[in-house]
Amino acid sequence: MNDSVTFVRAACPHDCPDTCAIRVTVHDGRAIKVQGDPDHPPTHGALCTKVSRYPERTYHAGRVLHPMRRSGPKGSGRFVRVTWDEALDDIAARLADIASRDPQAVVPYSYAGTMGLLQGESMDRRFFHKLGASLLDRTICSSAGGEALAATYGAKIGMHLEHYAESRLIVIWGSNSIASNLHFWTFAQAAKRNGAKLICIDPRRTETADKCHQHIGLLPGTDGALALGVMHELIVNDWLDHDYIERYTEGWALLRERALQWPPERAAQVCGITPDEVRGLARDYGTSSPAAIRLNYGMQRARGGGNAVRLVAILPCLVGAWRHRAGGLLLSSSGWFPVDRAALQRPDLLGERRPRTINMSTIGDALLNEGSPEFGPKIEALVVYNSNPVAVAPESPKVVKGFCREDLFTVVLEQFMTDTADHADYVLPATTQLEHLDVHTSYGHRYALINEPAIAPLGEAKPNTGIFRELAQRMGFDDACLRDTDEQMARSAFIRDVSFDALRADGWVALPLPEAPLAEGGFRTPSGKCVIDSPQFGVPDYVPNYESAASSPQLARRYPLAMISPPARNFLNSTFVNVQSLRDIEGEPLVEIHETDALARGIVDGQAVRVFNDRGEYVCKAVLSKRARPGVVNGLGVWWRKLGPTGTNVNEVTHQRLTDIGRAPSFYDCLVDVRPAGTAS
């Protein structure tokens, strides 16, 4: 062991728009510190609290460091240690047996436990394509907004992060940026110091809302109605850029007619706000230049989330905000990156086979399906990596029941014994970001990054790529691409603009994009224009929630409180929940409830309460808080189920119905009631 200190370039792997460049300090082969790289323009030396604790997470006493085979009932967490050869030989034999009947009975399940192109979507996809397994529709986070944005702009593209510092108005829509988009917030604060007005639109009075000039606390799922109300005012007051609309949009006349049916009074009634709030927002947006919107994925987690994103995305075109580099909108920048997914994932390995697709957001129903001509074969094997579905998938009573099936063969690649790992037949130890090579894009800025391994893998941990490479070998798959090294795949990850050698030399590469990329159109649509009347989705409209007082009054009489479940500030979905220092900050699972709603139910601050509906219930602590508006409760998540007072979490009460666009879950479209624990309904 050398008595030396080195610095290694890395990238944050987690599902966050910041995608920070990181400097890892390594002493005698041990990572002792991670910090933001001060030379990386979006990161500028800062890290969120979560990622700054990465060494604590990497060296956590609970790390899975060797393969394990289940030795007790599913969910018991009882396992025995086995060798890699024992585990992989048995897994390969079991998968081969199932595939001999129908490979579609094998289902991969993964998401953004790492956002890296290698550890997230390369050798794993090649393996399952070669096998002929079911495809997975990866919808659980952002597909409603992503597909809606692509239908409107042609791709997931937007303005550049650093230019928010020059905006005169910033509308932060559906985003708790202080918690989930720290580097955007730094630029927004710079704009604020220079005189910009900041408006936060969110059902919850977030930490971000506290720091803005105005908070518009609309009802969950009503964002599309608010956007239509703003459009109404832009039209009647002629706060429009007619030239931009004429040159760079198509289908405006039909939407204009629709928007004129949404005066402020109607929009306000639907949104649960005042008409003056609608008028004021429209006035600010229509008369401030440059005006920028930072849209985030919270607002698309309701039935009408896709239409709402389309409506908000059209707003910058109506006022010509795109003419300025500090104007426009950013939901995702990932569409700017020329990723060669065909090279990474090799769908050609399917040959002529066309497997069915399983939606990850309805995995509860899928695991309980006995099979049919419409559904296809019953799911017999599930391989889970980069995800914790038992904790994060909606309607968890069904998810847990499915994972408890004794006839389901489940393999989980993990760093920790999560709720999902507890239900596995085999748990395989996976490396963390500090232990493997990867390359990254971002959905919050325009820089591709490299992640160099800073330390050797702990214990017997292997990268995802290595595990699937070895499984392919044991399955007898002899295609040369299934033997590609991580570096070989990294070198093929981008079609153009991003050189692996440049990444390795400099740590990141900025995409060569115009400063104001949509100033003269240039949308990624066939016409180069913003598409308002979509061939697939038509003209966007307000789509009401599945569950609300307006759309389902009978249900609302029984369960009168709308519930949203945004992530706790110091967790990232279910990641970091087991890091003790972060859990100490969060305390325990809680639901924020307005004083009016609490008093009506005999609930006092700090009391244990039941949050329930027909799907299930969970117990947590009630916090009487002005962060909750009357009629809405905020069930902060996503805690591991095993850490909840009764072994459940907020997804006990969410449902599996999907959004209007993108087949995504409607987590924030949920009616519940809340009562003191131990009392009847």
Side-chain angles (χ1 to χ4, degrees):
M1 182 178 295
N2 295 323
D3 185 14
S4 62
V5 175
T6 58
F7 301 97
V8 180
R9 286 193 172 102
C12 176
H14 297 295
D15 190 359
C16 166
D18 289 329
T19 318
C20 308
I22 296 172
R23 292 182 66 185
V24 184
T25 304
V26 180
H27 180 254
D28 287 349
R30 183 179 179 90
I32 60 173
K33 184 179 182 180
V34 298
Q35 60 195 113
D37 193 321
D39 297 326
H40 183 232
T43 304
H44 43 74
L47 285 182
C48 69
T49 303
K50 299 180 283 289
V51 176
S52 68
R53 309 294 172 90
Y54 214 77
E56 180 182 351
R57 184 176 184 275
T58 299
Y59 296 107
H60 193 288
R63 272 289 299 273
V64 176
L65 296 177
H66 48 258
M68 296 188 294
R69 183 177 62 231
R70 178 168 63 93
S71 61
K74 288 197 172 185
S76 67
R78 288 162 49 189
F79 290 82
V80 295
R81 180 174 178 173
V82 295
T83 67
W84 270 108
D85 283 340
E86 289 174 308
L88 293 176
D89 286 346
D90 192 27
I91 292 167
R94 298 279 294 273
L95 294 181
D97 179 60
I98 294 169
S100 69
R101 297 187 295 276
D102 191 333
Q104 295 178 104
V106 178
V107 175
Y109 194 103
S110 70
Y111 197 65
T114 174
M115 298 285 283
L117 296 177
L118 302 185
Q119 307 307 329
E121 51 177 300
S122 64
M123 191 60 70
D124 57 310
R125 311 297 170 90
R126 297 180 185 191
F127 173 81
F128 290 113
H129 286 151
K130 179 64 177 178
L131 182 65
S134 291
L135 304 177
L136 185 71
D137 200 4
R138 291 173 169 84
T139 60
I140 202 161
C141 179
S142 62
S143 63
E147 291 192 19
L149 192 68
T152 311
Y153 290 176
K156 292 187 283 185
I157 55 177
M159 61 182 287
H160 303 324
L161 178 68
E162 56 268 33
H163 295 158
Y164 279 97
E166 303 167 11
S167 304
R168 300 303 298 167
L169 173 74
I170 301 177
V171 180
I172 303 171
W173 203 318
S175 175
N176 186 8
S177 303
I178 289 177
S180 62
N181 196 184
L182 178 65
H183 298 122
F184 157 74
W185 182 246
T186 302
F187 292 113
Q189 286 292 90
K192 184 180 179 183
R193 289 191 295 271
N194 290 330
K197 182 175 183 178
L198 273 57
I199 300 173
C200 179
I201 301 173
D202 200 300
R204 180 174 181 255
R205 186 173 181 86
T206 61
E207 296 88 346
T208 302
D210 289 341
K211 301 295 184 181
C212 291
H213 296 93
Q214 183 183 7
H215 171 229
I216 299 176
L218 76 179
L219 289 168
T222 63
D223 306 83
L226 179 56
L228 284 164
V230 170
M231 287 183 190
H232 178 280
E233 292 300 281
L234 296 178
I235 294 166
V236 299
N237 290 285
D238 198 25
W239 293 324
L240 299 172
D241 186 329
H242 296 281
D243 180 67
Y244 195 95
I245 293 171
E246 175 66 25
R247 288 173 178 264
Y248 307 126
T249 73
E250 52 185 34
W252 166 237
L254 293 171
L255 181 56
R256 182 182 186 278
E257 181 180 346
R258 176 164 290 164
L260 285 173
Q261 301 170 23
W262 283 87
E265 290 75 17
R266 181 186 179 190
Q269 183 179 19
V270 170
C271 297
I273 59 178
T274 68
D276 282 346
E277 286 178 292
V278 181
R279 294 189 188 97
L281 175 62
R283 182 183 307 108
D284 286 334
Y285 190 69
T287 62
S288 303
S289 181
I293 297 172
R294 182 58 172 105
L295 189 60
N296 213 340
Y297 288 110
M299 56 84 73
Q300 48 101 69
R301 295 188 177 120
R303 178 189 180 191
N307 269 272
V309 167
R310 293 197 66 216
L311 288 165
V312 176
I314 291 165
L315 289 173
C317 301
L318 303 185
V319 299
W322 287 113
R323 295 186 188 275
H324 312 276
R325 74 176 195 172
L329 174 144
L330 178 61
L331 171 63
S332 174
S333 60
S334 63
W336 292 125
F337 291 89
V339 176
D340 193 341
R341 286 192 161 82
L344 282 170
Q345 301 180 10
R346 296 298 301 270
D348 58 294
L349 292 169
L350 283 168
E352 298 300 315
R353 298 170 297 178
R354 295 296 177 265
R356 67 172 173 192
T357 298
I358 299 293
N359 189 330
M360 70 185 308
S361 298
T362 55
I363 191 64
D365 283 342
L367 288 175
L368 299 178
N369 194 308
E370 290 295 322
S372 68
E374 297 77 25
F375 179 75
K378 181 178 181 178
I379 297 173
E380 296 185 51
L382 196 64
V383 182
V384 181
Y385 53 105
N386 298 340
S387 187
N388 183 12
V390 172
V392 305
E395 201 168 353
S396 55
K398 289 186 176 180
V399 179
V400 172
K401 185 177 180 181
F403 269 85
C404 284
R405 280 176 38 201
E406 283 297 330
D407 64 342
L408 177 71
F409 180 58
T410 304
V411 179
V412 176
L413 285 59
E414 251 301 348
Q415 300 157 358
F416 301 99
M417 290 304 298
T418 62
D419 293 326
T420 304
D422 284 344
H423 291 78
D425 292 287
Y426 280 96
V427 178
L428 304 179
T431 49
T432 69
Q433 188 77 344
L434 301 188
E435 301 161 71
H436 55 232
L437 176 69
D438 220 325
V439 289
H440 288 257
T441 63
S442 173
Y443 66 94
H445 58 68
R446 53 177 168 154
Y447 292 81
L449 301 97
I450 193 169
N451 183 83
E452 299 276 15
I455 58 174
L458 299 190
E460 298 178 32
K462 296 177 184 284
N464 291 344
T465 49
I467 294 172
F468 285 107
R469 199 179 284 120
E470 292 190 37
L471 271 176
Q473 181 182 8
R474 280 171 168 80
M475 297 283 290
F477 299 158
D478 57 4
D479 301 76
C481 68
L482 294 170
R483 297 189 297 273
D484 283 351
T485 66
D486 286 6
E487 182 172 329
Q488 284 175 312
M489 292 189 292
R491 288 184 177 277
S492 68
F494 296 95
I495 298 170
R496 62 181 183 278
D497 298 335
V498 181
S499 155
F500 179 79
D501 291 330
L503 285 175
R504 176 151 276 177
D506 301 325
W508 58 83
V509 172
L511 296 180
L513 298 170
E515 291 289 281
L518 304 177
E520 297 179 351
F523 295 91
R524 296 292 180 89
T525 59
S527 66
K529 299 180 179 182
C530 170
V531 174
I532 296 172
D533 186 4
S534 162
Q536 184 175 4
F537 302 117
V539 178
D541 199 358
Y542 166 63
V543 178
N545 281 7
Y546 290 110
E547 299 186 1
S548 71
S551 61
S552 49
Q554 290 186 335
L555 184 65
R557 281 193 285 272
R558 297 168 55 212
Y559 303 115
L561 298 174
M563 187 194 75
I564 61 174
S565 47
R569 180 172 181 174
N570 291 287
F571 302 154
L572 207 165
N573 299 318
S574 76
T575 305
F576 295 101
V577 178
N578 63 319
V579 176
Q580 189 63 51
S581 63
L582 297 174
R583 201 160 74 240
D584 288 344
I585 298 171
E586 290 298 331
E588 60 186 293
L590 62 87
V591 61
E592 296 171 340
I593 185 169
H594 191 273
E595 182 180 24
T596 302
D597 296 320
L599 291 175
R601 291 163 173 78
I603 295 169
V604 298
D605 188 58
Q607 184 174 12
V609 295
R610 300 166 50 234
V611 182
F612 62 95
N613 56 25
D614 289 338
R615 292 178 287 273
E617 72 171 52
Y618 75 103
V619 174
C620 63
K621 182 177 77 173
V623 174
L624 276 60
S625 174
K626 293 182 179 178
R627 297 204 182 282
R629 61 162 287 162
V632 179
V633 294
N634 309 318
L636 303 187
V638 178
W639 285 78
W640 290 5
R641 291 169 57 87
K642 68 173 81 177
L643 298 177
T646 56
T648 54
N649 69 12
V650 67
N651 281 318
E652 201 78 4
V653 297
T654 55
H655 59 73
Q656 296 180 76
R657 283 176 286 185
L658 303 177
T659 54
D660 53 347
I661 296 172
R663 309 160 308 286
S666 305
F667 285 116
Y668 299 176
D669 182 341
C670 178
L671 287 178
V672 301
D673 203 357
V674 181
R675 298 287 173 175
T679 62
S681 301

